[in-house]
Amino acid sequence: MSILSSITTFSILGFMAKKLGKTIDNVANDGKTLMFVIYPEIASLSPMPMLFSLMFFIMILFLGIICIVWFISTITTSFLERFSKLKSLKNIVLCISTGFLYIVGIPVTTKAGIYYFEILNTFALSFNLIVIGGIECIGIMYFYGIRNFNSDINVMFEKNRNLFLKIFGSFKYLMSFFHMFINPLVLLGLTIIGIKEMLEKSYNYNDKQYHIILPTELICFGWFLCLLPLFLIVLGLLLEIWKKRDMSIMEIIKPNEKHITTLEQYKQSYLITFLDSFSRCWRRKKSIVRISVFSEDLVFSK
């Protein structure tokens, strides 16, 4: 699907660039221009412009509805999973979430809405998503364990029986290598590039229709929106550590029964095994030192 979308997008951009005698980077500077200027222009040049224009805007309408449904479903599902007692009030929670998002979206429809839109478009979906993806990748691959992840996938899908699928199939040897080593490195590089671009960005938007210079207050608000999800993750981590403050560090970072699908097939991850062995060796060495010091004290007292 992504390949098809890329082919469609760049073919349209190439056609418009050739028609206007410009380079591709000068045809569309951002997603707004591509969505509401370039695509309608292509629809108007089609053999049946009215039909294709109608189909295009119907597609945009349904695309927006699908995104809203997905977004609200993600929020309500996460909230109900966290507070399971409210599952019987799912419809009420859904109405409250929808109403809250509706109220929050009202400022975007005002005269200053373009400022809020640019802030959300620039900061809300930036390097913070890449950081969250990297945290998920490291947490699943190294703490939960790649073998447990593969077994969970095999529970949902049929096991790969031939040699080709065992090597190149989903979440097998090649994909496991990418998930454990390549993906974290790529996400780290993208995070560094994203932070660098955000710091060097001028936040001045020029277009034929408008010229926007974002004030400092809105830029600070944008950085707050950008860092808020990361702050909430760190806050949740600290709260979990505080709840389990009587446990050891190894017991805290190990997956518990809530995270493990089948306890019988659970295999401890390589990182947890290494840290567990290192912790036992450290405790053994520490106990030996204490015993030796205690014995020296006894000899000295005699």
Side-chain angles (χ1 to χ4, degrees):
M1 192 66 183
S2 300
I3 296 176
L4 180 61
S5 301
S6 302
I7 293 174
T8 304
T9 301
F10 285 103
S11 61
I12 290 175
L13 288 176
F15 172 77
M16 290 300 297
K18 184 177 180 180
K19 185 176 183 300
L20 298 175
K22 298 180 180 180
T23 58
I24 292 180
D25 56 341
N26 292 324
V27 173
N29 296 325
D30 51 24
K32 303 186 301 298
T33 306
L34 181 64
M35 182 64 66
F36 298 107
V37 177
I38 302 299
Y39 283 170
E41 181 69 19
I42 292 295
S44 65
L45 297 175
S46 61
M48 293 181 288
M50 296 296 294
L51 176 62
F52 280 96
S53 299
L54 179 63
M55 292 174 61
F56 171 74
F57 284 105
I58 290 176
M59 179 195 72
I60 296 298
L61 175 63
F62 280 102
L63 182 63
I65 293 174
I66 291 171
C67 291
I68 292 173
V69 171
W70 167 80
F71 189 67
I72 294 177
S73 298
T74 303
I75 295 175
T76 54
T77 302
S78 303
F79 187 81
L80 293 175
E81 288 293 330
R82 181 64 180 85
F83 304 98
S84 57
K85 295 181 179 180
L86 297 177
K87 286 186 177 181
S88 59
L89 304 175
K90 181 179 179 180
N91 294 332
I92 297 176
V93 174
L94 184 61
C95 292
I96 294 174
S97 303
T98 307
F100 175 75
L101 292 177
Y102 177 79
I103 294 173
V104 171
I106 290 177
V108 185
T109 63
T110 61
K111 291 183 178 180
I114 188 64
Y115 291 95
Y116 299 114
F117 177 82
E118 293 294 346
I119 285 293
L120 294 174
N121 190 40
T122 303
F123 289 96
L125 304 176
S126 59
F127 69 90
N128 51 2
L129 294 181
I130 303 176
V131 174
I132 294 173
I135 293 173
E136 291 180 353
C137 182
I138 293 173
I140 294 174
M141 296 300 113
Y142 289 95
F143 289 92
Y144 180 66
I146 182 65
R147 293 177 294 180
N148 300 314
F149 187 59
N150 288 339
S151 63
D152 293 339
I153 296 298
N154 289 329
V155 170
M156 294 185 289
F157 300 99
E158 185 179 358
K159 292 185 178 181
N160 299 322
R161 301 183 182 277
N162 57 64
L163 181 61
F164 179 81
L165 291 178
K166 286 182 178 180
I167 298 175
F168 299 100
S170 300
F171 306 102
K172 288 303 177 182
Y173 303 115
L174 183 63
M175 296 303 296
S176 298
F177 173 77
F178 273 91
H179 284 308
M180 292 189 68
F181 302 105
I182 304 299
N183 291 353
L185 293 177
V186 171
L187 292 173
L188 177 62
L190 291 176
T191 301
I192 296 174
I193 294 173
I195 295 174
K196 183 174 180 295
E197 289 181 351
M198 293 283 288
L199 294 175
E200 295 177 352
K201 197 174 180 64
S202 61
Y203 303 109
N204 295 333
Y205 302 91
N206 296 304
D207 203 345
K208 294 180 180 179
Q209 288 80 18
Y210 56 84
H211 176 72
I212 298 176
I213 300 177
L214 294 180
T216 306
E217 294 80 4
L218 280 180
I219 295 176
C220 294
F221 177 69
W223 276 104
F224 170 76
L225 291 178
C226 178
L227 299 176
L228 180 61
L230 304 179
F231 172 76
L232 293 177
I233 292 175
V234 175
L235 180 62
L237 175 63
L238 295 177
L239 289 176
E240 288 296 324
I241 293 176
W242 175 255
K243 291 178 182 178
K244 302 176 181 178
R245 57 187 180 276
D246 297 331
M247 301 180 181
S248 63
I249 297 178
M250 291 304 304
E251 292 177 343
I252 293 175
I253 64 176
K254 283 182 179 179
N256 53 34
E257 62 276 3
K258 295 181 180 179
H259 308 124
I260 299 172
T261 306
T262 54
L263 291 173
E264 296 80 9
Q265 299 179 358
Y266 172 72
K267 298 178 182 179
Q268 196 166 257
S269 67
Y270 300 114
L271 179 62
I272 296 296
T273 303
F274 171 76
L275 293 177
D276 200 6
S277 302
F278 180 79
S279 177
R280 286 199 300 268
C281 293
W282 176 259
R283 289 196 301 267
R284 190 180 302 113
K285 182 179 179 181
K286 203 171 181 180
S287 61
I288 292 173
V289 172
R290 287 179 179 176
I291 292 172
S292 61
V293 172
F294 180 71
S295 59
E296 289 177 1
D297 292 340
L298 288 177
V299 172
F300 181 76
S301 62
K302 289 180 180 180

